[in-house]
Amino acid sequence: MNPPGAAWLLLIRSRMTMADLALCADQDRWARELRWTVSRTGFGARHYRDPRFDLVRELEEVGRLFTV
């Protein structure tokens, strides 16, 4: 049996999620078109990351191996 008010909490949580997705929809779509990763970090907060920076890091490590 669900505790009293659980249905209200579920309703509020789902509405907050919908509002969050609607608030950031344009930025998320833009980032995904650029093939960036998008992580939700809170209500209205996102962490956008360009995966090309992984390649830069790998090339720097390879360069260090060959310059030693």
Side-chain angles (χ1 to χ4, degrees):
M1 188 87 188
N2 289 337
W8 282 106
L9 289 176
L10 182 60
L11 178 67
I12 292 170
R13 180 178 289 160
S14 66
R15 299 294 184 195
M16 292 291 286
T17 300
M18 289 171 48
D20 177 51
L21 294 174
L23 180 68
C24 298
D26 292 337
Q27 293 88 355
D28 291 352
R29 186 178 317 112
W30 175 74
R32 287 188 179 103
E33 286 174 4
L34 293 174
R35 296 195 171 127
W36 291 7
T37 59
V38 179
S39 303
R40 290 176 57 197
T41 57
F43 181 79
R46 300 287 193 272
H47 180 79
Y48 299 103
R49 189 168 172 285
D50 186 348
R52 293 179 295 175
F53 287 112
D54 292 339
L55 179 61
V56 171
R57 187 177 304 127
E58 289 176 15
L59 291 174
E60 287 175 349
E61 290 175 12
V62 169
R64 279 189 221 111
L65 291 174
F66 285 106
T67 57
V68 174

